[in-house]
Amino acid sequence: MSLLGFIWKFMNPRAQFLFFTIAGLLAGLGVQVEAADSGRHDTADGLVLTPPMGWYPWNQFGQDPQNEGLIKEIGEAVVQSGMRDVGYSFVGPDEGICFRRSTNGLLSTVESRYPSGLRGLGDYIHRLGLKYALYTDAGTNTCSGAMPGTKGHEFEDMRSFADWRCDYLKIDWCNTDGMDPANAYTRLHEALLRSGRPIVHSLCSWGVGNPWNWAAPVGHLWRTTGDICGPGRADYGNAEKIAFFNQGLYPHAGPGYWNDPDMLIVGMAGLSEAQNRTIFSLWCLMASPLIAGNDVRAMSASTLAILTNLEAIAVNQDPLGIQGHVVSHTNGLSIWAGKPLFDGSQAVVIYNEQKVPAPIRIAWSELGLQTSSGIYVRDLWSHRSTGPFAEGITLMVPGQDVLMLRLAQTKAFPIPPITSADTYLISLQASGPAAQTLTGQLTVKTVGTDALHLWQVRRDLPDWLSVKVSKHGKSQTFSNRIHTAGLAKGHYHAVVRADNTEPVSRKPMSALYYDVDLEVQDDVAMK
Ligand code: GLA
């Protein structure tokens, strides 16, 4: 255990809060809180090699309004609004009274709220071309006490989440008296592995136990701070504090393991357009998970434009996966940089906390940019390019707002591939004693400048399934061919995995996973 971790254990909650505030101030000043190595993250599962994107209900709704109807409507809105196509994929309930513990010790759905069952809701989400997110707690109970926690049931509970076809599990830290976060989350990681399903492990200890120092080998993202707001009560000042704290943890994040400064408050009541733009820009630059928290069924055109700004998302989803941070902070004017991108360009955010516009001079040499022929500047909110500029640039930053820029030696500002699919579930039925061939397709497309190479499907498929991929520009079709010869009556399931690399940086992309279900209604002959 690190020295800070050791001291932390003996601090009472008020002292921990004070520590958090002081650390936040130091981080805001560019002082690194602790430079310990977060340990090696194993990327073999190919999960979230760029920061996860999606939607969770907590910030807007809190607990009571969550039910199957709400989650389905939100999923539909994510598709219809175009959010899915620019990368938002993980959607599901937070602490939404989803399950109870039955007398046999296993979890079961609270059907009065989720009548299709948690598996049925998962299938619905997957058919929308979205990934299924769920929530639990490492302690005895979830925070409100409405649901059981996993303590003492880690292995069977992770099996239940896998049976429900969960793809992303947020594990909270309420009711954990006497527990050590590193031990508890390590055990949960082992239980997730044992479940046999690739599931993104989202640790939610609010920074307790300094997860950035030890969580990379056991998880994919970890909350670095307390909650960004109470349900329905967006708090810009707190979001700003969290951003300044979280940026200082930049050495601890990378592809597949991310610092999580909490879900977005963009689009919630009480925030101005400039505040929404500022939060989104900072989260993008910090390679933070982009988990929307607003009511996406009823958002303004301005909120939608911010959440789907592809040029900003491209910075967040950059294949190098580097977290940017504050490189200078004077008189309420901060420069957030240290974010090289896949094509050799750099992303920069300039944040003006003051009410009045402020001029700023940025010399290329300060950012470590070398140039013989000047630097082109792309404004990622006005979508305009200028330059080349020989040594630097002077800009006016509007009051309480940001400028978000990309700087490059060439005029081109390519967008990396951002992937979405029209479904993540192929489900087929066969009846009668004669062998049959069934087919089902899904289409995977990317937004981005370059088309991808062909997705490579893993060879570990069961005998009854074969998959062929064909390419048409930026879309690729996965043709699933099922042959039922010799199968006994029953249900069959396979998880298909495909891999790809980003063509410019040649970095591995997040693996693509989907489920194939087959129901065979009668025993089938060999031919
Ligand atoms: C904690 C988490 C929140 C949310 C609530 C649910 O406070 O940090 O994001 O999940 O629990 O009670």
Side-chain angles (χ1 to χ4, degrees):
M1 183 188 289
S2 70
L3 181 61
L4 267 181
F6 183 74
I7 295 169
W8 183 268
K9 268 188 77 162
F10 294 96
M11 281 167 134
N12 65 30
R14 188 172 298 176
Q16 287 183 347
F17 179 77
L18 195 67
F19 166 82
F20 173 66
T21 309
I22 294 168
L25 284 171
L26 291 175
L29 293 170
V31 178
Q32 219 174 284
V33 178
E34 198 177 356
D37 185 1
S38 48
R40 196 179 289 276
H41 176 81
D42 183 356
T43 54
D45 60 18
L47 290 170
V48 292
L49 299 183
T50 57
M53 295 176 69
W55 180 91
Y56 254 126
W58 191 257
N59 285 355
Q60 177 69 38
F61 295 101
Q63 179 173 284
D64 283 340
Q66 291 184 55
N67 58 34
E68 179 172 327
L70 175 75
I71 304 300
K72 285 181 166 175
E73 281 178 25
I74 294 284
E76 287 156 12
V78 167
V79 177
Q80 278 155 19
S81 62
M83 287 175 71
R84 179 189 74 180
D85 295 348
V86 293
Y88 295 86
S89 63
F90 297 103
V91 173
D94 195 283
E95 185 180 17
I97 320 190
C98 304
F99 49 78
R100 62 170 81 81
R101 193 168 301 287
S102 301
T103 43
N104 64 3
L106 299 179
L107 298 179
S108 60
T109 303
V110 174
E111 277 167 352
S112 53
R113 281 179 177 259
Y114 299 88
S116 307
L118 287 174
R119 167 69 196 283
L121 178 58
D123 286 355
Y124 190 87
I125 295 288
H126 286 146
R127 286 200 182 96
L128 288 175
L130 297 171
K131 293 281 183 180
Y132 191 29
L134 285 168
Y135 163 97
T136 188
D137 189 282
T140 51
N141 282 93
T142 57
C143 299
S144 75
M147 289 150 71
T150 58
K151 187 180 178 188
H153 297 272
E154 293 83 356
F155 286 80
E156 61 267 31
D157 283 5
M158 296 310 122
R159 186 68 244 160
S160 295
F161 289 110
D163 289 346
W164 290 327
R165 306 268 173 93
C166 173
D167 303 304
Y168 178 111
L169 188 62
K170 170 176 169 182
I171 309 185
D172 217 335
W173 189 245
C174 283
N175 304 306
T176 53
D177 280 358
M179 290 169 67
D180 172 70
N183 288 342
Y185 284 110
T186 300
R187 185 170 167 78
L188 286 159
H189 165 67
E190 283 158 11
L192 279 166
L193 289 181
R194 192 83 68 78
S195 81
R197 185 171 176 85
I199 297 178
V200 175
H201 182 190
S202 162
L203 289 77
C204 182
S205 75
W206 328 302
V208 172
N210 299 356
W212 46 89
N213 286 333
W214 48 262
V218 300
H220 299 95
L221 63 153
W222 48 84
R223 281 276 298 280
T224 56
T225 71
D227 288 4
I228 196 165
C229 68
R233 287 182 283 118
D235 178 347
Y236 182 77
N238 195 41
E240 188 186 51
K241 243 189 245 157
I242 283 178
F244 275 107
F245 177 76
N246 186 74
Q247 62 79 27
L249 302 174
Y250 69 93
H252 302 287
Y257 56 104
W258 309 103
N259 289 310
D260 175 7
D262 205 358
M263 302 166 287
L264 293 164
I265 56 172
V266 171
M268 288 177 64
L271 300 182
S272 68
E273 185 172 320
Q275 289 175 327
N276 284 330
R277 184 169 42 241
T278 299
I279 290 165
F280 199 71
S281 303
L282 298 181
W283 260 238
C284 285
L285 192 103
M286 291 191 293
S288 301
L290 297 179
I291 308 293
N294 60 315
D295 186 350
V296 295
R297 298 170 305 176
M299 59 186 155
S300 66
S302 148
T303 294
L304 177 63
I306 290 171
L307 287 174
T308 58
N309 178 352
L310 189 59
E311 294 201 61
I313 292 172
V315 170
N316 180 266
Q317 292 295 301
D318 182 78
L320 305 187
I322 294 169
Q323 176 176 334
H325 59 278
V326 174
V327 297
S328 84
H329 193 180
T330 30
N331 302 328
L333 208 54
S334 47
I335 301 180
W336 301 54
K339 178 99 179 108
L341 304 176
F342 76 118
D343 62 328
S345 65
Q346 298 263 348
V348 179
V349 173
I350 305 150
Y351 177 31
N352 180 8
E353 292 152 64
Q354 308 303 317
K355 287 203 171 116
V356 287
I360 191 157
R361 170 83 191 158
I362 301 180
W364 303 146
S365 57
E366 275 171 55
L367 297 179
L369 288 172
Q370 288 169 354
T371 169
S372 48
S373 52
I375 293 286
Y376 292 90
V377 178
R378 176 87 177 163
D379 182 322
L380 304 187
W381 288 108
S382 73
H383 308 296
R384 277 197 292 267
S385 305
T386 46
F389 300 98
E391 275 157 22
I393 190 171
T394 302
L395 295 159
M396 203 55 151
V397 196
Q400 294 188 328
D401 205 339
V402 285
L403 292 176
M404 186 176 193
L405 309 173
R406 241 171 104 177
L407 311 173
Q409 307 236 20
T410 64
K411 260 190 196 157
F413 291 92
I415 303 284
I418 293 165
T419 305
S420 62
D422 61 349
T423 181
Y424 286 110
L425 175 60
I426 301 290
S427 118
L428 296 163
Q429 265 182 5
S431 61
Q436 300 172 40
T437 299
L438 307 166
T439 55
Q441 290 192 334
L442 69 114
T443 300
V444 176
K445 58 174 196 171
T446 50
V447 286
T449 309
D450 293 307
L452 290 182
H453 306 300
L454 211 59
W455 286 93
Q456 297 298 308
V457 176
R458 287 276 168 123
R459 284 164 189 266
D460 53 0
L461 299 178
D463 289 347
W464 48 269
L465 176 64
S466 61
V467 181
K468 252 207 176 125
V469 188
S470 55
K471 186 170 158 178
H472 340 267
K474 290 183 189 166
S475 281
Q476 297 192 29
T477 301
F478 286 61
S479 300
N480 300 273
R481 190 167 165 276
I482 289 172
H483 198 55
T484 62
L487 293 181
K489 179 178 168 173
H491 291 269
Y492 296 80
H493 171 232
V495 176
V496 178
R497 172 175 177 170
D499 293 283
N500 216 325
T501 47
E502 188 283 312
V504 176
S505 65
R506 306 213 172 125
K507 290 273 174 195
M509 291 180 47
S510 297
L512 179 93
Y513 288 101
Y514 64 91
D515 290 286
V516 180
D517 275 329
L518 170 65
E519 186 192 349
V520 177
Q521 292 173 336
D522 303 283
D523 291 340
V524 185
M526 274 312 289
K527 276 199 176 173

